[in-house]
Amino acid sequence: MKVRYLTGVASAALLAATLAVPASAEDIKQGGSMIVTYKDDVSTLDPAIGYDWQNWSMIKSLFDGLMDYEPGTTDLTTDLAESYTISEDGKTFTFKLRDGVTFHNGRKLTAEDVKYSLDRVVNPKTQSPGAGFFGSIKGYDAVAAGEAESLDGVSVVDPLTVKIELSRPDATFLHVMALNFSFVVPKEEVEKWGADFGKHPVGSGAFSLEEWTLGQRLVFKRNAEYWRAGTPKLDQITFEVGQEPVVALLRMQRGEADIPGDGIPPAKFLEVMKDPQSKDLIIEGGQLQTGYVSMNVKMPPFDKLEVRKAVNMAINKERVVRIINGRAVVANQPLPPSMPGYDKDYKGYSFDPEAAKKLLAEAGYPDGFETELYVYNTDPNPRIAQSIQADLAAIGIKAELKALAQANVIAAGGEADQAPMIWSGGMAWIADFPDPSNFYGPILGCAGAVKGGWNWSWYCNEELDKLAAEADSITDPARKEEREKLWGKIFTSIMDDAPWVPVFNELRFTMRSDRLGGPDAIFVDPVHIPVNYDYVWAKDVQ
């Protein structure tokens, strides 16, 4: 997802805040509105392209996919698919669609729309950062190479049935069908708006876009024709952008907003946590997240292993955790501790500036070198980057900080020759789904090392790609432990090549206004507030 400090779309569903739930959905009244604040504007609402923590949650409220998650669990459930079957060899999935689902423009959704949407997301012309997720579908390579316009493995059986054939067994495929990249879009609207479809989104979701005033607000209105009766409960959600996090928190405390979407500002964290009046308004939850420094292996001097290892040994991770008031644990590998495949015995690189200096000398840089460190310009990320900058300076590396808006940092990372180093905080990777493969393909695998992708280190190890494919072909639940061990080997092997410095795994704290009900409010995570019917927002919001 991902990524950012808020829990990503899938992982919010998986790692929901543990609040009590009212006795029944009937306790929740229809109507009302809610205001969510964010610092940054949204870049796009196109499900094939949107891939950051902020727009992903909004996209999920506008569009539907074949699959979804049961609220607050890791359990997959059907969404647009009424049912599905899987062949004995695990390579053919047949989905039966719900009848009567319509897009916001009034047209009925069919299997042709599913096929069109999947063909579109893998087409290189779309430049989707999620195209690699679909690599197991038969015909993917031909489409990705520009040699075909359509996936051979996706076929329309009848108007309400679509069949998807894989070139290999894929243990993650149903998770992929729950990602926003597989959400269904109407061809006529995409062709009407072209590159501007992301500003004029039309889906089949619980809400539709009513207004988008750039730099000010987005307004979503309830889809009265939504296929799941009685949902959503809110009539309107307003996203106000351009709101500094400290100001947003004050507005929430004054009752002028309901969710500070950027969370509790670090500068206010201790004050808020100690305030007895805030006790029932704070939501705490874990997340499948890793904050890291990427090093672009295509850009000298980070093309040298010794340099990358030296950077790993130079950064004082404990100090970084202190900067964010202890809201994280130190990381030593890409996977977070709660993710299957995490190697508990792996020690990683120790903090050792003297050893780092020796490695730089061995690499031919006894006096260090100059470089750039890109960082998202929202607190606490510039302060974290300054701490990293000081650590690098201590071993002779002079890193100029490039503090930019989130979209600019992401864009720089998606170019092979722009960002030598990136501190991922504010965009840190959060799992799209609870499987170790998701921490590989998009951000460390060869498929993600493409223009517009999220593999900002541009690291590509074809041997590890083969091992990853082998791990994902293990679909037998009885071989779960074997699969997890293989993934553990993959990630420790990545650390041998050191394209990243894993820094921390963060805990999540945010707030809601007391207008959203007491402790019995149905509430998951602010990033999921606007997400369709499953995440019923609040009790008696009027």
Side-chain angles (χ1 to χ4, degrees):
M1 181 133 76
K2 124 294 348 254
V3 206
R4 181 49 193 128
Y5 287 127
L6 291 180
T7 307
V9 172
S11 55
L14 316 176
L15 302 172
T18 54
L19 296 183
V21 176
S24 68
E26 286 69 31
D27 293 337
I28 314 252
K29 294 182 179 179
Q30 177 67 57
S33 62
M34 182 171 65
I35 297 174
V36 183
T37 62
Y38 289 117
K39 179 180 181 294
D40 290 332
D41 205 346
V42 180
S43 57
T44 181
L45 292 173
D46 185 339
I49 297 173
Y51 202 20
D52 63 59
W53 65 277
Q54 187 173 325
N55 63 18
W56 207 358
S57 62
M58 295 181 184
I59 285 169
K60 197 175 193 309
S61 67
L62 300 173
F63 297 87
D64 293 317
L66 295 176
M67 302 294 294
D68 201 352
Y69 291 93
E70 292 284 357
T73 76
T74 61
D75 299 330
L76 283 159
T77 186
T78 55
D79 194 25
L80 287 179
E82 186 174 68
S83 62
Y84 64 90
T85 59
I86 307 174
S87 63
E88 288 188 10
D89 64 3
K91 293 167 61 176
T92 301
F93 293 73
T94 304
F95 296 91
K96 185 72 175 179
L97 304 183
R98 298 181 189 277
D99 194 6
V101 176
T102 59
F103 289 114
H104 299 149
N105 63 8
R107 181 173 69 75
K108 186 175 179 179
L109 185 151
T110 71
E112 290 284 356
D113 297 304
V114 176
K115 176 167 176 55
Y116 168 77
S117 301
L118 295 178
D119 286 341
R120 175 177 181 254
V121 75
V122 301
N123 191 317
K125 295 177 183 178
T126 305
Q127 294 189 6
S128 171
F133 284 117
F134 304 89
S136 64
I137 298 179
K138 191 177 294 184
Y140 168 83
D141 290 340
V143 177
E147 299 169 356
E149 292 289 328
S150 180
L151 290 162
D152 289 342
V154 182
S155 57
V156 174
V157 178
D158 60 48
L160 292 178
T161 309
V162 62
K163 182 171 69 174
I164 302 177
E165 298 175 84
L166 308 184
S167 57
R168 54 179 168 80
D170 183 357
T172 70
F173 184 69
L174 287 177
H175 287 293
V176 171
M177 290 297 100
L179 294 180
N180 70 304
F181 298 117
S182 64
F183 288 177
V184 182
V185 299
K187 180 179 181 179
E188 68 273 18
E189 297 290 344
V190 174
E191 292 183 342
K192 173 182 177 181
W193 295 106
D196 288 333
F197 178 68
K199 292 290 191 291
H200 302 274
V202 175
S204 61
F207 290 88
S208 62
L209 177 66
E210 183 174 36
E211 174 194 343
W212 188 347
T213 304
L214 294 178
Q216 297 183 38
R217 65 183 168 272
L218 297 88
V219 180
F220 288 7
K221 67 177 180 180
R222 176 177 178 265
N223 177 8
E225 304 301 320
Y226 191 51
W227 59 269
R228 196 175 294 260
T231 54
K233 295 299 182 182
L234 286 177
D235 287 339
Q236 179 178 287
I237 303 172
T238 299
F239 302 94
E240 296 185 356
V241 299
Q243 302 280 318
E244 287 296 331
V246 172
V247 175
L249 176 65
L250 292 173
R251 290 190 63 213
M252 189 217 72
Q253 292 170 330
R254 293 197 298 259
E256 298 171 2
D258 298 301
I259 299 292
D262 294 297
I264 302 172
K268 291 286 186 178
F269 181 74
L270 294 178
E271 175 187 329
V272 169
M273 295 299 287
K274 293 178 181 179
D275 182 1
Q277 294 185 343
S278 299
K279 181 180 178 182
D280 291 335
L281 306 180
I282 296 172
I283 297 144
E284 175 182 352
Q287 49 192 354
L288 296 174
Q289 180 266 12
T290 300
Y292 58 93
V293 175
S294 64
M295 291 170 279
N296 189 326
V297 302
K298 288 183 174 289
M299 296 180 68
F302 298 108
D303 56 343
K304 292 193 173 185
L305 176 60
E306 294 86 356
V307 171
R308 301 196 300 270
K309 286 185 174 181
V311 173
N312 265 276
M313 301 174 76
I315 296 176
N316 187 338
K317 301 175 185 179
E318 295 282 359
R319 185 170 66 191
V320 173
V321 169
R322 290 197 295 271
I323 289 173
I324 59 172
N325 298 311
R327 293 179 295 158
V329 294
V330 168
N332 65 8
Q333 58 192 283
L335 289 181
S338 54
M339 179 69 83
Y342 178 83
D343 189 341
K344 296 178 181 179
D345 298 324
Y346 180 73
K347 302 301 181 184
Y349 296 92
S350 60
F351 174 54
D352 192 338
E354 292 305 314
K357 290 179 183 179
K358 292 178 181 178
L359 283 171
L360 283 184
E362 291 175 15
Y365 298 95
D367 300 320
F369 55 86
E370 294 183 0
T371 188
E372 294 175 333
L373 174 61
Y374 282 66
V375 57
Y376 174 36
N377 62 6
T378 295
D379 189 63
N381 297 300
R383 289 190 290 125
I384 291 173
Q386 289 167 4
S387 175
I388 294 170
Q389 180 187 44
D391 290 336
L392 295 177
I395 66 168
I397 300 176
K398 301 175 182 64
E400 177 188 354
L401 297 188
K402 305 281 284 187
L404 305 171
Q406 183 187 73
N408 297 93
V409 178
I410 293 171
E415 297 289 341
D417 59 355
Q418 283 196 20
M421 303 178 75
I422 297 176
W423 162 242
S424 74
M427 307 158 295
W429 192 256
I430 300 173
D432 301 296
F433 49 81
D435 190 272
S437 65
N438 186 233
F439 261 77
Y440 179 77
I443 52 177
L444 286 163
C446 297
V450 294
K451 182 179 174 63
W454 279 71
N455 184 344
W456 298 336
S457 64
W458 289 81
Y459 172 75
C460 174
N461 185 320
E462 293 182 357
E463 290 303 314
L464 293 184
D465 258 25
K466 292 177 182 176
L467 285 181
E470 179 183 336
D472 279 346
S473 69
I474 301 174
T475 59
D476 184 352
R479 298 176 62 194
K480 178 176 180 290
E481 184 176 345
E482 175 188 346
R483 182 172 183 269
E484 291 178 3
K485 286 183 178 179
L486 182 53
W487 272 117
K489 177 183 177 181
I490 291 168
F491 284 103
T492 54
S493 296
I494 288 171
M495 290 309 298
D496 290 342
D497 289 337
W500 275 19
V501 181
V503 178
F504 60 54
N505 307 114
E506 193 181 12
L507 300 173
R508 174 62 189 161
F509 296 85
T510 191
M511 296 185 72
R512 58 180 171 79
S513 71
D514 55 11
R515 195 172 75 95
L516 295 183
D520 60 347
I522 292 183
F523 186 86
V524 181
D525 187 287
V527 84
H528 249 96
I529 287 292
V531 173
N532 72 37
Y533 76 96
D534 281 330
Y535 310 99
V536 183
W537 342 105
K539 184 175 183 180
D540 302 342
V541 176
Q542 298 293 342

